[in-house]
Each structure stands twice: as structure tokens, then as C-alpha cells.
Amino acid sequence: MKAFSLLMSEKDFHSITTAEIARTAEVTEGLIYKYFKDKKDLLYQVLNEHFFEFQAKIENRIANEKTCIEQLEVIIFSSLESYTANRIFSKILLLEVRNSLDFFESCAYEMVRKYTTTILSIIEKGIETGELKPETDPHILRKVILGAIEHACLGEIIFGREFDIDETSTGIANIVFNGAKA
Amino acid sequence: MKAFSLLMSEKDFHSITTAEIARTAEVTEGLIYKYFKDKKDLLYQVLNEHFFEFQAKIENRIANEKTCIEQLEVIIFSSLESYTANRIFSKILLLEVRNSLDFFESCAYEMVRKYTTTILSIIEKGIETGELKPETDPHILRKVILGAIEHACLGEIIFGREFDIDETSTGIANIVFNGAKA
DNA sequence: TCAATAAGGTAAGTAACACTTACTCACAAT
DNA sequence: ATTGTGAGTAAGTGTTACTTACCTTATTGA
């Protein structure tokens, strides 16, 4: 997994060969298949490992906030932070796993679901308490928030283009909560 | 390209074999390589074809709108419409091409850039004319809009889950322009 | 104490796949 | 008549993910 992560920072999943992984890990190719079902399984496991830490950190932070808007701001900030701090994790999650249907049956996807479900319930609570407009569609608000986060990170992952997390985070929150219309 | 498109509606890029493409097109495998550099090139060409129509339609519609907000609303609606009307195009653009760096050097990506540049200049004009808040960061607003559009379509592409274009479109516009905060 | 079992590891495959090569044929243009 | 070109093919080739059969060294339980 360490060898694979290293290679993932250099090139994309498909151009990494099993021979290369074995050579980097200083074992033989066959051994990989003692521990992993296939190459994709290795990918998912690496994703899982990173995602676990991400999940733990973010849930902790959410618990510290009171208002719905503050919680969502924490989610936006923490997601951006995690994505930029861990390029391999981001690359796998945003670019690699999605084009294979079997990911959506993996346990890693279960964690993604849990995370997005949390977001949805925060939004719903916000509408109930009157923090958010009553006509807000929770699913659409979630799509806007998640889409914005992911799109913001793509440039970084693909081109290595850096961005200011604070600035982007408050920028997204500002548009999503206050709107861009004058 | 027709054969490939057909196969793309059934499975993902990587599980389509050259043999299968050839069989579907009723030619031999070798002939594919007379017209396309490699399998990826075929993918990019199909994307290009679809993208061309998309671009033409959308530019036309934008020209018919006067205000910046109306133009952006047209972009949101038309993008959702195009993505849902053309699942193969969407699948390639949102899931397949991104994980390969050479896409970003292809002419297809040039068209994507042109499209996103148009969006940016509409936003900038909106800030100038006072339609949008002066403190709006144009790049971030673009990220939020594009991210929301793309994220909204992912569920449809991946799970075949359908959604109401009008509802989603006005929902996104509502959040982005008016904000979700009460 | 010692065989049985399992854990860690390897070398040498194999089938499938993307892609190449060397060729044929039809048919226009010179 | 000859030459060049575009369309097409059959039969490869090298690489790649994955498998098999085997070896070695600990651990364990009767």
C-alpha cells in the first residue's frame, strides 16, 4: 500500500503496473495477490485508509460547532483541507474510483454515503430551525456544496495548481449562503 | 465511432475491448488504428463530436439573453439538459477522460476551456454592471456553478437515477444567486 | 516433542488485451 | 501501362493483470 501510494503520486492508476508496484515494495508480483483481490482492491484499500482519518477528523470538528451554517462551513473548510493535504486520496476519490461501478458496492463507498448523509441531515436541521430558507431543497443544496468543493480541488489535483484554502472556503460559503446577486 | 458510442452506453471505457469495437463496427481490429492513434484517441474524438453540438447550442442560447443572471441560468439549464440528453457524452466528460493527463492536452479540452472562459467573462461582466455583488470572486462563483452542475449529473450517469431538469436548474440558480441563508 | 497447520514468500507460467506489421485489392490520375 | 493512394485484412507481438504450484519458516496443540 505504501509503494502503491508513492506511485500514485507520480502517475495515474492505469499506468501503474503490478510489476512496478512489486518492484517498489521489494516483493514479487505474486505476493500482491496474497493480500489483495486485484489491483482495484489495492486502490480501494488505500482510499479506505485515508478516508477513515478524514471521517474521524471531520466528525470531531462538526461536533464542536453549534449552528447549522457553522457546521456546513466546517465541512467545506475541512474537505478542502483534507483534499489538498492528501493528493493521493483526492486523486483516487475524485478521479479514479468513480468510473468503475464496483466501487459503489465497496465498503469505501459506504463511508462516502455516511459522510454525505451527515451533510444532508445538517441541512434539514437548518431548515427546521429556521437558519436556512424554508424553500431550500436539501438535496440540491448538498449538490451545490459538494460540487463546489470537488470542483475547487480538481485544478489542484490535475495540474498541481495551488489555491488558498481559507479564501476558497469562505468564498464558497459566502456564495452558497448569501448568494451572488447584488 | 458509432460502434464505440453504442458500447459506451453499455459499459465503461476500460472494459470495452478493441476486438469488441471491431466486431460491432464489422471491420477488423487493425482498421481502427488507420483512423485513430489509439483507443483513447477514439474516446476523445467521440467526445469532441458531442461537445461541438453542445457548444453550438449553448452559445446560441446565451446570445438570446440580456442580463448576466439570465445568461448564467441558461448555462445551468442547458448544461443539465445536454448532460442528461446525452449520457455517453456525459460519461466520457465527467468520468472517463479526466483521469488521464493527456486529455488536458487534447483539442477536446480546448473546447472545455473555451466554454469555461465564456462563463468567467459573463460573471465578470455581471460584477461590472452591478448585477452581481462586487465582492464576488469570479473564479469561485464559476467553481460553484460548474461543480453543482456536474455533481447533479453524476447520480444520473452512475446509477441511472433520473431527476427533474427544471427543478434542479432553478434550485441551483436560486441557491447560487439568492443564497440559502434565511 | 513433533507433526500439522498456517503465514510469508517466490518463480514460472497463462490468457487477454492493445497495438503493429506486412500484406492485398480496388481504382483513379498521370 | 504504371504508379500511388485509400480501404481493408490476417497474423502476429509485447505487455499486463492475474494464477498456479511450490518452497520455507514460524506457531501451535496434543
Side-chain angles (χ1 to χ4, degrees):
Chain A
M1 284 168 77
K2 246 168 110 176
F4 179 75
S5 288
L6 182 73
L7 290 166
M8 271 299 281
S9 68
E10 290 161 12
K11 48 178 108 176
D12 60 298
F13 178 68
H14 201 69
S15 43
I16 297 171
T17 67
T18 49
E20 215 171 357
I21 298 165
R23 202 184 326 119
T24 311
E26 288 175 58
V27 291
T28 52
E29 261 184 89
L31 191 60
I32 294 170
Y33 294 89
K34 281 272 159 78
Y35 292 89
F36 304 97
K37 204 181 128 278
D38 51 30
K39 216 180 118 187
K40 265 184 198 163
D41 185 37
L42 174 54
L43 181 76
Y44 298 161
Q45 301 252 22
V46 171
L47 176 68
N48 223 34
E49 198 183 56
H50 289 293
F51 206 82
F52 208 81
E53 293 170 35
F54 171 70
Q55 189 92 348
K57 192 192 276 180
I58 217 167
E59 297 229 317
N60 231 16
R61 286 192 188 171
I62 292 171
N64 286 337
E65 304 296 330
K66 297 149 279 4
T67 72
C68 146
I69 287 180
E70 279 169 337
Q71 286 181 336
L72 290 173
E73 278 171 350
V74 160
I75 286 173
I76 296 169
F77 179 83
S78 302
S79 299
L80 289 175
E81 191 191 41
S82 275
Y83 281 141
T84 51
N86 219 319
R87 285 191 56 185
I88 293 142
F89 163 66
S90 321
K91 230 173 84 175
I92 297 174
L93 188 61
L94 300 182
L95 298 176
E96 303 287 359
V97 295
R98 294 188 173 181
N99 50 18
S100 193
L101 277 168
D102 54 359
F103 164 66
F104 299 97
E105 285 149 18
S106 74
C107 61
Y109 182 65
E110 265 312 300
M111 294 184 80
V112 176
R113 272 192 52 120
K114 207 181 138 198
Y115 166 61
T116 58
T117 305
T118 304
I119 296 176
L120 193 67
S121 57
I122 292 173
I123 293 171
E124 279 165 349
K125 216 179 58 194
I127 294 169
E128 268 178 52
T129 61
E131 265 189 85
L132 299 175
K133 284 180 184 149
E135 72 267 24
T136 312
D137 182 324
H139 285 89
I140 291 181
L141 179 55
R142 180 175 64 174
K143 276 175 190 161
V144 174
I145 291 174
L146 285 176
I149 292 168
E150 289 174 11
H151 205 85
C153 297
L154 274 179
E156 229 236 348
I157 299 163
I158 297 167
F159 304 109
R161 200 187 290 151
E162 280 183 42
F163 67 89
D164 188 287
I165 300 170
D166 274 299
E167 201 181 294
T168 309
S169 174
T170 56
I172 292 173
N174 197 35
I175 289 168
V176 168
F177 296 125
N178 305 318
K181 193 158 79 184
Chain B
M1 284 168 77
K2 247 167 110 175
F4 178 77
S5 287
L6 182 74
L7 291 166
M8 271 300 281
S9 68
E10 291 162 11
K11 48 178 106 176
D12 61 297
F13 178 68
H14 202 69
S15 45
I16 298 171
T17 66
T18 48
E20 216 171 357
I21 299 165
R23 203 184 326 119
T24 311
E26 288 175 61
V27 291
T28 52
E29 261 185 88
L31 192 61
I32 294 170
Y33 294 88
K34 282 274 157 78
Y35 292 89
F36 304 98
K37 202 180 131 281
D38 50 28
K39 217 180 115 187
K40 265 184 200 164
D41 186 37
L42 174 56
L43 180 76
Y44 298 160
Q45 300 253 21
V46 171
L47 176 68
N48 222 34
E49 198 183 56
H50 288 293
F51 207 81
F52 207 82
E53 294 170 34
F54 170 71
Q55 188 93 349
K57 192 192 275 180
I58 216 167
E59 296 231 318
N60 231 16
R61 286 191 187 171
I62 292 171
N64 286 336
E65 304 295 329
K66 296 149 278 12
T67 71
C68 147
I69 287 179
E70 279 169 336
Q71 287 181 336
L72 291 174
E73 277 171 351
V74 160
I75 286 173
I76 296 169
F77 179 83
S78 302
S79 299
L80 290 175
E81 191 190 41
S82 275
Y83 280 141
T84 52
N86 219 320
R87 285 192 56 184
I88 294 141
F89 164 66
S90 320
K91 230 173 84 175
I92 297 174
L93 188 59
L94 300 182
L95 298 176
E96 303 286 358
V97 295
R98 294 188 173 182
N99 49 20
S100 193
L101 277 168
D102 52 0
F103 164 66
F104 300 97
E105 284 149 17
S106 75
C107 60
Y109 181 65
E110 265 311 301
M111 294 184 79
V112 176
R113 272 192 52 121
K114 207 182 138 197
Y115 165 61
T116 57
T117 306
T118 304
I119 296 176
L120 193 67
S121 57
I122 291 173
I123 293 171
E124 279 166 348
K125 216 179 59 194
I127 295 169
E128 269 178 51
T129 62
E131 266 189 83
L132 300 176
K133 284 181 185 148
E135 72 267 24
T136 312
D137 182 324
H139 285 90
I140 291 180
L141 178 54
R142 180 174 65 173
K143 276 174 189 161
V144 175
I145 291 173
L146 286 177
I149 292 168
E150 288 173 12
H151 205 86
C153 297
L154 274 178
E156 228 235 349
I157 299 163
I158 296 167
F159 304 109
R161 199 188 291 152
E162 281 182 41
F163 67 89
D164 189 286
I165 300 169
D166 273 300
E167 202 181 293
T168 309
S169 173
T170 54
I172 292 173
N174 197 35
I175 289 168
V176 169
F177 296 126
N178 304 318
K181 193 158 79 183

